């Protein structure tokens, strides 16, 4: 199972592209509302996620968490006790943690990027404390995946698919979307 956390002010593409890619590849993706049952995106889209943050279960069925960026979505994610617990659980149990745009700053503030390659939206580099900021569109180091922003959301989603489902599933999905 994969949790995608959605807080008020999240960036739509950074959440929806990974959700779409992973679901097309057959993964169980659960959207999680942070801060209420209904969430409003950074551009005014109203979303009713599958669960609220109080309903999540942190156990062996969890494969990955995804933290979309956007403002103030990233700040709202960082201020959530449940999101912090999910990050800590994933780190302690060798689960994947994916963050895009401003959201890698959450991992930087926790010291989780120390000595790791990472990337983020331009202007947030100083928040990636201890990281080797690569500037790459998508960066994988250990069990942490970071990405620059909305412009690479599909590439981010495809990389998550490749990591969880393998090269064959990645190629099939890539080719079906007519990516070049």
């Amino acid at each position: 199972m994969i949790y995608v956390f959605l807080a008020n002010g999240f960036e739509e593409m950074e959440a929806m592209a990974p959700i779409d890619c992973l679901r097309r590849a057959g993964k169980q993706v659960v959207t999680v509302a942070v801060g209420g049952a209904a969430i409003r995106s950074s551009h005014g889209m109203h979303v009713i996620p599958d669960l609220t943050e109080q309903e999540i279960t942190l156990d062996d069925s969890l494969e990955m968490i995804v933290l979309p960026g956007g403002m103030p979505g990233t700040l709202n994610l960082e201020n959530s006790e449940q999101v912090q617990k999910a990050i800590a659980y994933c780190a302690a149990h060798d689960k994947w943690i994916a963050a895009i745009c401003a959201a890698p700053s959450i991992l930087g503030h926790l010291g989780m990027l120390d000595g790791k390659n990472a990337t983020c939206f331009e202007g947030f580099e100083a928040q990636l404390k201890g990281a080797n900021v690569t500037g790459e569109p998508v960066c994988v180091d250990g069990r942490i995946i970071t990405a620059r922003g909305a412009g690479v959301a599909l590439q981010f989603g495809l990389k998550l698919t490749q990591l969880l489902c393998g090269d064959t599933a990645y190629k099939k999905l890539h080719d079906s979307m007519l990516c070049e």
Side-chain angles (χ1 to χ4, degrees):
M1 175 179 41
I2 300 151
Y3 285 143
V4 179
F5 289 97
L6 305 177
N8 285 318
F10 78 92
E11 171 57 51
E12 299 90 344
M13 289 176 55
E14 295 167 6
M16 298 308 163
I19 291 168
D20 184 55
C21 288
L22 291 163
R23 285 185 176 170
R24 286 176 190 247
K27 297 308 270 183
Q28 180 186 6
V29 180
V30 177
T31 55
V32 180
V34 175
I39 303 299
R40 186 179 174 123
S41 72
S42 61
H43 296 100
M45 181 189 306
H46 292 273
V47 177
I48 299 174
D50 302 314
L51 300 175
T52 65
E53 61 189 310
Q54 291 77 25
E55 297 173 303
I56 66 171
T57 303
L58 301 175
D59 61 22
D60 282 342
S61 68
L62 183 63
E63 293 181 82
M64 173 185 282
I65 61 170
V66 179
L67 307 173
M71 281 299 177
T74 295
L75 300 175
N76 291 329
L77 290 177
E78 188 164 18
N79 289 329
S80 164
E81 183 178 325
Q82 289 302 111
V83 171
Q84 293 290 332
K85 285 180 183 178
I87 292 168
Y89 178 86
C90 288
H93 293 87
D94 201 31
K95 306 290 184 176
W96 293 101
I97 302 170
I100 184 170
C101 192
S105 66
I106 299 168
L107 306 179
H109 297 156
L110 292 170
M112 295 178 67
L113 300 177
D114 193 32
K116 294 192 175 288
N117 292 323
T119 194
C120 62
F121 190 72
E122 186 176 325
F124 284 85
E125 296 87 355
Q127 304 301 311
L128 307 188
K129 294 179 183 166
N132 171 36
V133 180
T134 67
E136 295 174 354
V138 179
C139 188
V140 180
D141 194 327
R143 290 288 184 155
I144 296 177
I145 308 104
T146 53
R148 287 184 52 90
V152 299
L154 181 57
Q155 188 177 349
F156 179 61
L158 287 167
K159 177 54 79 175
L160 301 183
T161 302
Q162 183 179 33
L163 293 168
L164 291 179
C165 303
D167 292 338
T168 302
Y170 163 81
K171 179 152 178 39
K172 181 179 178 184
L173 182 59
H174 179 277
D175 292 349
S176 74
M177 292 182 156
L178 301 173
C179 298
E180 295 190 25

